[in-house]
Amino acid sequence: NDPYHAGGFGFTAQGDHTEGNPFSEDAYMIGGIGKVILDSAQGETVTGRNTVFTKQFRGKSSINVDGGLYDGSSPPEVTSSPNVDMDSALEMGTNPFRLKVTVNGTECEFEIREVTSDTEMSLIAPASSQCSFHSDYVAFAPGLPRGKGALRYGNQAHEVVLPGSESVEQLTVLCEYQGSAANDLPTTPPITTDRAAGCKFTKELKVGYLLVLDKLSPPTVRTITSIKSDTELTVDHDPAAGIDAADGAYAAVDGYGPGGTKLPHSETTLADEFEWTWVACPPRVGKNAIGLGVIETHYNQEDAFEGTTAIAVNDGNIETCSGACTLKRHRIIGRGSRFESQFGPSSSWANNGTGAYFGLGPWMTVEINGDLETQRVSELGTTGSYAEYFLLLENSFSEPLLMHTHFNWYTMLVQGYGKLRSYGRRVVSEAWSNREFSSMYGEGRTQGYYGNTRFLTQLRTGYFITACGQTRQINSIQSDVEMTIDRPFTLGNREFIPASASSPAEASDLHVRGLTRLLPLWPRGVTIEIIVTKGDSAPKFKYHVWWKTFKHTDDGDANAADDACTAADIDADVDCGILMESDSWRQLEDKELQKQFGVYLKWDATAVATGSHFTKYDSWRLHVADIENCEYYISTEGERFETDDNMNPPVCYNHGKCQSITSDATTIAEASNRPKLTAPGLVEWDATTMLLTSAPDPEDSNRDAKFTSDVSPGDIIRLLDPLGGDDDYDIRVVRVVSDTSLVSDSRLASLVTTARNYQILKCAAGRRGGVGHSDSIGDNTAAAGVPYEDIVPDEHPLAYLPHPEHTFYQTWSYKYCEVDPGCCGFRVSSIVQPQQFAYYFVKPDHSNYNFRIAVHTVNDNIDLYTRRDDDGSGRPDTTNYHLTSVRESVPWAIDEDEYDFACLTDTLETSVLAGGTSYDSTLGHYSQENDLPNCEKWVAGVMGDNRYPQTVGSSEYTARFYLEFNFPDFECEDSSKGAKDINGFSQASHKSMCVQNNLRFVRDADVVLNSADAPQWVVRLTETRKRENNAFVRWREAGGVSYPDAQRSGAVWWHRKLHLWDGFETNFVFQITDP
């Protein structure tokens, strides 16, 4: 959840900096966060500086069921790297996580054995001499992960008919073994001869991850919707959709489906082994960053210029631009910009290898008339000289004349399934029923083609979508084919449909004004279809005005019926329709309503004068203040944490969702730990058959297990010591066979347990072993012992590593979600049910802050409360709160002042990820030093409120949280550092205390006592007198250089940059004294 992660496929392009001289043509984007160094010349231990290894890498994913490394008989995967540093017996895919560095121009890759903290991990093989990076810290990138095993489409029995339709899709993906579908161990592959083969879905993947076939261009991306076992999962949309099926789905009327013909791709290979990858949930795709400098439209919009190619008519992309675009590419010049430094060189955009964008970016966003518009960057200027200042966009914005305009940019955006159309704030799938122009089966009825969008799985509340050049935020999602957005697509869009591929007409032959509606004025939801009726030297046209389900026509007569220029008349070459005019604008009207509606058109003079330029049935479709048939692209930028608000919300997650279950907890402290539940039945584990079986428990009313309802693949089963000791064993569920039997591939080789009670862990995590979290790195492969002495299970909510039986990490928070406002604020969009609360908390690192909250909602149906968490359970409600902002106050806003903050007498200690033994943290980060202030949390509660009749159901909202420093004085009293002596003056300086409170001092600046005035503790930038031998001495009397010659100076800084936009307001109080 670092706000600077850039996003991208396979944990790539996540870095917060560009490596190298940013003005050099060799500058490049780095995917790793921080820098790394080896412990020795040919070492295996990697140490990081400002790194987050636990979020960017995974360890132990090469370990098979025997505790050893997977075998690999094939040579390493061929890459563009001149040298690949890894075990020659291992394929690239055996361990999906790798470290990439460049050493003296040589690209090197290392396989990761184990991650033990955010700043330490180990490699499988030592570094070679040409790939050693032990002399200095270097930048790095995470290698693209490779999935284990080959993938296969499901069988015909897996084919499904989509709800409310007759569309048929294959949503099941199986593991492929020796050319056919594999079962789970121990049957296929056979446990005795090929135990390392097959897939590891339950170990590597989770529901919500993106499954990516990255060897295709563009890559095929699907969301995982369920994982049945290690060898079977389902996705949200048929991976073959759109290849040879109308509108991306197969229909029963074409002979497919149950009882009909098998889909042509069922039971065939989807991807060979190591030919697929994944992106963890939530996918960090579509990072929105602030652009440097400002941009404006360049004067030359025709010729080639400084490395950018010439611009021609119709060389834009009409499918991705708004109704007001010029239909041409658009040249931009930057003032103070650094396009290539920020975006990376254009050669990397189309690269399909590790760390690349797969041709899906970058994109540029500007705000025009209050709306966000986004266009893809197609070219930069000459690399190394003009690439920082010149670029070409795929299309113009709605306002083609930009001047001194701020901009944001996306590294890449993922294309959504299908296409969109809108009705105001309501957005639906283009392929859904009830749409104009449709000749497909199902028009005007609920059955037929199921919409080919998948909003429920591909999108979430808070995401941003860009459709026809217009960027909007998602407010709520009703179904796979329907959602609502924050603002309508006010700019409309255009379509051009030539009568045939040989028609010489072009989209730009028709000039249009008036498709934009900046306010929700009439009309909205109207489409005008322009149809050429005569194409000779005096071309003519007619138009239909569509109101989604009915139409009115202007064909040159006085009525609204399509009767004076019918299709039969056009086919018979009857001279009918409206004459095309190129010298004046024609305002269109609805002949039935006798009302003009502000859409004007005229025709290109050259096109009209060319006798054979137009062809009968060439058509244009103009969508006014709504969009239709638009491609759309997705950014996850609007979502930092995901919350399950239906449970108020008890779950927060960013690297895999923790499913809440009933817990054995009896206290608040126990409930805050990761949930575990003692389940019914007595179980026995047999490593030979890899089966866990259950029998009735005579000590528990003979209750037996209910695996099919209580357990899911990927869960951890803890086999409890029957004597109540520490002899517990954890196994991972691979497949549930029945209520009393399940399969696991646990590394507890040759172990057979007697009947035991057991617990279910839904949100398992791990940590480094030992009391001090400091056990040495390395795997214990002893057959009968606990196979993970260095990485052990841990139920603490802040446990920082994956459980030893998993490779994915899951975060956990009890009842409310932590937010880190960072430098620039924190935004979360979600929903909350009526009379329920969604809670968020901030734990500050000292008390010199103001805490500011602003909540926006479309409807007036929430209340906002805050409370300081003094007693450990201080969640606000309608009677217990500190401040509240209630109905009819949009935006709901609360400002908790600095004087209401409080810090305890005890302090925080260095956390485990900084080398200590505690789990202490503030502002969403583990503490990095001892004796930090331990301040009380602030809890904000957003309550759904539909007590009034104008709103019903859940409340949609977007909340923003800000921490802004506020020093009414500089005593910094909550710091544990203590005052310091200065030149014989006892306890005269609080500078070290204020340093702990994030201030930074330069030269003479200090924090001293001002006993003659208030506030008493002030920052003195320069001393009025010199402190010497417990007394003040005038500078001119101190000897040495005189005061004027000494040039005394000082400064005080906040510890990091702040994001400022359009200036800021603050108050300073200065006092100047006589030296």
Side-chain angles (χ1 to χ4, degrees), residues 114-120 766-777 789-796 798-801 910-920 926:
E114 188 168 275
V115 177
T116 51
S117 76
D118 267 348
T119 57
E120 184 178 349
R767 65 169 176 85
R768 197 166 175 172
V771 176
H773 298 219
S774 59
D775 279 4
S776 61
I777 297 174
E789 290 184 348
D790 51 337
I791 302 297
V792 298
D794 192 358
E795 276 69 61
H796 194 282
L798 294 180
Y800 52 94
L801 292 176
T910 301
S911 72
V912 288
L913 287 185
T917 60
S918 74
Y919 282 107
D920 289 350
Y926 292 96

Side-chain angles (χ1 to χ4, degrees), residues 86-125:
M86 61 182 189
D87 191 324
S88 60
L90 296 174
E91 293 191 8
M92 296 285 280
T94 56
N95 182 356
F97 290 84
R98 303 187 303 281
L99 174 75
K100 294 184 63 177
V101 297
T102 300
V103 180
N104 297 323
T106 300
E107 294 183 6
C108 306
E109 292 199 24
F110 305 87
E111 291 192 302
I112 306 303
R113 176 188 295 274
E114 188 168 275
V115 177
T116 51
S117 76
D118 267 348
T119 57
E120 184 178 349
M121 62 184 177
S122 65
L123 308 175
I124 284 180

Side-chain angles (χ1 to χ4, degrees), residues 803-815:
H803 186 278
E805 291 289 343
H806 284 148
T807 63
F808 49 77
Y809 175 68
Q810 302 176 111
T811 58
W812 169 259
S813 181
Y814 174 66
K815 286 294 184 186

Side-chain angles (χ1 to χ4, degrees), residues 15 57 103 187 319 333 352 416 466 509 589 671 763 972 989 1022 1024 1045:
F57 297 97
V103 180
T187 53
E319 293 188 350
I333 181 173
N352 291 345
T466 295
D509 292 337
E589 65 176 326
C763 188
C972 300
S989 171
T1022 60
T1024 59
D1045 293 335

Side-chain angles (χ1 to χ4, degrees), residues 237-298:
H237 196 27
D238 195 326
I243 296 176
D244 57 359
D247 279 315
Y250 296 87
V253 294
D254 298 322
Y256 298 115
T261 304
K262 178 178 66 176
L263 294 178
H265 53 282
S266 290
E267 302 178 22
T268 64
T269 299
L270 173 61
D272 291 331
E273 189 168 19
F274 313 134
E275 295 293 299
W276 59 281
T277 182
W278 72 86
V279 179
C281 172
R284 298 301 305 153
V285 173
K287 163 64 187 174
N288 184 297
I290 303 297
L292 293 177
V294 294
I295 59 174
E296 60 187 63
T297 297
H298 194 256

Side-chain angles (χ1 to χ4, degrees), residues 353-496:
T354 299
Y357 298 136
F358 294 86
L360 299 176
W363 301 70
M364 178 175 282
T365 298
V366 298
E367 184 176 332
I368 300 176
N369 294 321
D371 286 331
L372 296 177
E373 299 184 37
T374 302
Q375 289 295 334
R376 191 198 307 259
V377 178
S378 61
E379 292 181 18
L380 295 182
T382 303
T383 296
S385 53
Y386 294 104
E388 303 285 10
Y389 315 109
F390 291 100
L391 61 77
L392 278 181
L393 297 175
E394 184 178 54
N395 297 293
S396 75
F397 298 111
S398 65
E399 171 53 68
L401 298 177
L402 302 179
M403 180 64 69
H404 200 77
T405 303
H406 295 281
F407 71 97
N408 287 20
W409 64 282
Y410 293 106
T411 53
M412 62 181 290
L413 300 177
V414 172
Q415 186 170 353
Y417 309 150
K419 294 184 179 181
L420 303 179
R421 55 193 165 104
S422 70
Y423 304 88
R425 291 178 53 245
R426 178 172 174 255
V427 178
V428 301
S429 171
E430 175 68 21
W432 205 19
S433 298
N434 296 309
R435 66 177 186 133
E436 63 271 34
F437 316 123
S438 176
S439 60
M440 68 168 62
Y441 178 82
E443 179 184 5
R445 64 192 71 182
T446 57
Q447 283 199 325
Y449 279 86
Y450 189 72
N452 53 8
T453 55
R454 297 294 181 270
F455 297 154
L456 288 174
T457 53
Q458 200 174 27
L459 304 175
R460 291 190 179 91
T461 298
Y463 280 13
F464 284 89
I465 59 170
T466 295
C468 283
Q470 305 166 65
T471 301
R472 300 293 185 266
Q473 190 173 31
I474 298 170
N475 272 358
S476 64
I477 301 173
Q478 286 72 45
S479 69
D480 270 338
V481 295
E482 185 177 6
M483 64 179 171
T484 58
I485 55 176
D486 59 341
R487 298 187 64 177
F489 289 108
T490 55
L491 303 178
N493 74 295
R494 285 176 277 177
E495 299 181 73
F496 170 60

Side-chain angles (χ1 to χ4, degrees), residues 985 1023-1034:
F985 286 77
E1023 287 282 14
T1024 59
R1025 298 185 180 186
K1026 185 177 182 180
R1027 298 169 186 261
E1028 190 174 87
N1029 298 325
N1030 298 323
F1032 286 107
V1033 181
R1034 291 180 179 274

